Amino acid sequence: MNFELDPEIAALRQKVRAFVEERIVPSEARIVAEDRENKRETLSRLQAEARAEGLWVPHLPAAYGGRGLGIMGMCALFREMGRSPVGAKVFNCDAPNQGNMDLLLGVGSEVMKEKYLRPLAAGEITSAFCMTEPAPGAGADPSNLRTRAERDDRGWVITGRKWYSTGGRDAAFLIVMARTSDDPRGGATMFLVDRKAPGVEYVRDIPTMSEPLLDHREGEIAFHGVRVGDDAVLKGVGEGFRLAQQRLVPARLTHCMRWLGLADRTLSMCKQYLVTRESFGKKLAQHQLIQQKIAHHALGIHAGNLMTYHCASMLEKGLDKESRPYSSMAKLHVARLLCDVLDDAIQMHGGLGYSEDVPFSTWYRYARSARIADGPDEVHEVVIARDFFTRGLELLV
């Protein structure tokens, strides 16, 4: 077991870290302000600089403009990108586009790759993943899937409603999960649907506790008899549930990578304040209750980092099925960790932390979704317990 990064990855990690700290962090407020006015000047400039420095879509093969780093390389780089809420977007590594790229790369036809993956990797278009539905449709329980695709002599007709389709408003295409039979295992299929296809209605941006930012706008979309051909089927009819697992396990990890970066930056910012602010006769950093909080979160970040690396190493070895409970462990731990770190950051900064003179309250509103997205805490707890009781989950790996 080697905990040292490959020299090339280590050098790239430092390069990404410097890019984030020196260029992206000073531009965060400007990017947010421009986004509110539907402008992207600063973001586009930074994206061009990232591309020029060979840091664009590093997870993808060279044929699509990347470096072919694989998931272990992603672990190292995505953590650094995640230090800023806008960081991943600068490198074209943000959700949902990054996960959709990986899915298309793995199972898309050559036609799909040319039509959708290549412009997506180039940053020319964006995409959305349409699986979650309003009640009583599919949420944490995918068997509740209500959107249907009916076969006829001209192809497929999709009818249903999705929500929390991140980035759906401006997406060029959608990956849509629909029920094609009542088979509990093979009853779902994924379709690639043009966002502007007849019958696709963008209902609304869903108002949430987190301010919309860049592609992170949660969309509700209705499908009114949307017609697609057989060439829109991703991999095969009945492969939807399997593809969802194939996409979601690494997607959970990439979320963890980015969240760890933001948690680490938050704790570093706390350090700067705690070693200078005096209260009750000494620096805040000298109070034992403060030291306890810092120690607890330092431990949590390190543990989450190791969980993420361990699960990523399993995926790199092709142990996709075996990695699932470990991905649930990582996602459950890191999502809670990020919320806890930000909550304590607000607390340790007192009135300043509650204000928006520091970004913690804004980041906390964004982070709170982490405990729901890609499966709520409770689902992951069930997965972990189930594997412990019935499948001999190994804890001392």
Side-chain angles (χ1 to χ4, degrees), residues 116-193:
Y116 297 113
L117 175 57
R118 194 166 294 283
L120 188 60
E124 298 166 1
I125 61 173
T126 59
S127 63
F129 188 69
C130 302
M131 184 168 70
T132 304
E133 300 169 341
D141 182 358
S143 69
N144 287 333
L145 186 66
R146 293 291 193 275
T147 299
R148 298 197 70 92
E150 302 287 347
R151 190 82 167 86
D152 64 16
D153 57 358
R154 292 191 293 154
W156 298 88
V157 179
I158 302 173
T159 303
R161 185 175 289 256
K162 302 289 186 179
W163 76 338
Y164 283 92
S165 298
T166 307
R169 187 188 70 179
D170 300 318
F173 73 95
L174 316 169
I175 298 178
V176 181
M177 174 89 93
R179 184 168 292 283
T180 46
S181 80
D182 293 324
D183 185 317
R185 292 185 176 273
T189 302
M190 287 188 184
F191 297 88
L192 269 66
V193 179

Side-chain angles (χ1 to χ4, degrees), residues 84-151:
S84 169
V86 300
K89 181 65 175 176
V90 170
F91 303 96
N92 201 13
C93 293
D94 204 3
N97 295 317
Q98 175 260 320
N100 290 343
M101 290 181 213
D102 289 343
L103 187 60
L104 287 172
L105 182 66
V107 300
S109 67
E110 291 306 313
V111 172
M112 289 176 176
K113 290 176 182 177
E114 285 303 310
K115 184 176 180 179
Y116 297 113
L117 175 57
R118 194 166 294 283
L120 188 60
E124 298 166 1
I125 61 173
T126 59
S127 63
F129 188 69
C130 302
M131 184 168 70
T132 304
E133 300 169 341
D141 182 358
S143 69
N144 287 333
L145 186 66
R146 293 291 193 275
T147 299
R148 298 197 70 92
E150 302 287 347
R151 190 82 167 86

Side-chain angles (χ1 to χ4, degrees), residues 71-93:
I71 194 161
M72 293 299 286
M74 291 160 64
C75 275
L77 270 57
F78 281 21
R79 292 177 310 178
E80 303 303 333
M81 297 175 187
R83 296 181 73 83
S84 169
V86 300
K89 181 65 175 176
V90 170
F91 303 96
N92 201 13
C93 293

Side-chain angles (χ1 to χ4, degrees), residues 19-28 46 84 86-87 90-91:
F19 194 105
V20 171
E21 294 295 330
E22 297 168 10
R23 304 191 209 182
I24 297 178
V25 169
S27 301
E28 283 174 335
L46 289 171
S84 169
V86 300
V90 170
F91 303 96

Side-chain angles (χ1 to χ4, degrees), residues 310-328:
H310 169 240
C311 189
S313 72
M314 296 182 74
L315 289 175
E316 196 161 74
K317 294 172 185 174
L319 302 173
D320 293 33
K321 184 177 181 180
E322 295 85 349
S323 71
R324 289 178 190 173
Y326 297 103
S327 75
S328 287

Side-chain angles (χ1 to χ4, degrees), residues 39-332:
K39 298 177 181 178
R40 296 284 175 96
E41 285 88 349
T42 302
L43 175 66
S44 297
R45 173 179 58 78
L46 289 171
Q47 287 178 324
E49 292 176 10
R51 196 191 302 260
E53 296 198 17
L55 301 176
W56 185 256
V57 291
H59 57 294
L60 291 181
Y64 292 96
R67 290 176 171 268
L69 295 183
I71 194 161
M72 293 299 286
M74 291 160 64
C75 275
L77 270 57
F78 281 21
R79 292 177 310 178
E80 303 303 333
M81 297 175 187
R83 296 181 73 83
S84 169
V86 300
K89 181 65 175 176
V90 170
F91 303 96
N92 201 13
C93 293
D94 204 3
N97 295 317
Q98 175 260 320
N100 290 343
M101 290 181 213
D102 289 343
L103 187 60
L104 287 172
L105 182 66
V107 300
S109 67
E110 291 306 313
V111 172
M112 289 176 176
K113 290 176 182 177
E114 285 303 310
K115 184 176 180 179
Y116 297 113
L117 175 57
R118 194 166 294 283
L120 188 60
E124 298 166 1
I125 61 173
T126 59
S127 63
F129 188 69
C130 302
M131 184 168 70
T132 304
E133 300 169 341
D141 182 358
S143 69
N144 287 333
L145 186 66
R146 293 291 193 275
T147 299
R148 298 197 70 92
E150 302 287 347
R151 190 82 167 86
D152 64 16
D153 57 358
R154 292 191 293 154
W156 298 88
V157 179
I158 302 173
T159 303
R161 185 175 289 256
K162 302 289 186 179
W163 76 338
Y164 283 92
S165 298
T166 307
R169 187 188 70 179
D170 300 318
F173 73 95
L174 316 169
I175 298 178
V176 181
M177 174 89 93
R179 184 168 292 283
T180 46
S181 80
D182 293 324
D183 185 317
R185 292 185 176 273
T189 302
M190 287 188 184
F191 297 88
L192 269 66
V193 179
D194 191 303
R195 165 68 179 79
K196 301 296 184 181
V200 177
E201 177 194 1
Y202 190 79
V203 178
R204 59 170 180 153
D205 281 359
I206 301 166
T208 68
M209 67 185 288
S210 176
E211 181 182 1
L213 178 62
L214 302 176
D215 294 333
H216 293 272
R217 287 173 164 81
E218 305 301 342
E220 184 170 349
I221 303 175
F223 298 86
H224 305 288
V226 178
R227 181 169 290 281
V228 296
D230 288 327
D231 58 350
V233 174
L234 191 58
K235 191 174 184 181
V237 175
E239 293 288 334
F241 288 135
R242 282 182 284 273
L243 291 181
Q245 283 297 326
Q246 182 176 331
R247 183 188 185 279
L248 288 175
V249 171
R252 288 178 194 134
L253 285 192
T254 55
H255 278 315
C256 288
M257 298 167 199
R258 292 183 285 256
W259 295 337
L260 284 166
L262 189 58
D264 184 67
R265 179 182 169 194
T266 299
L267 210 61
S268 296
M269 291 173 68
C270 289
K271 178 182 176 180
Q272 296 171 18
Y273 181 74
L274 298 174
V275 298
T276 57
R277 170 69 165 161
E278 288 196 11
S279 185
F280 298 102
K282 54 186 175 182
K283 300 288 193 297
L284 284 177
Q286 295 173 317
H287 289 273
Q288 287 186 332
L289 281 176
I290 295 294
Q291 293 171 356
Q292 182 186 51
K293 291 180 185 293
I294 295 299
H296 176 74
H297 294 317
L299 182 153
I301 292 171
H302 183 57
N305 193 47
L306 293 178
M307 288 182 193
T308 305
Y309 267 129
H310 169 240
C311 189
S313 72
M314 296 182 74
L315 289 175
E316 196 161 74
K317 294 172 185 174
L319 302 173
D320 293 33
K321 184 177 181 180
E322 295 85 349
S323 71
R324 289 178 190 173
Y326 297 103
S327 75
S328 287
M329 286 183 177
K331 196 274 178 179
L332 178 66

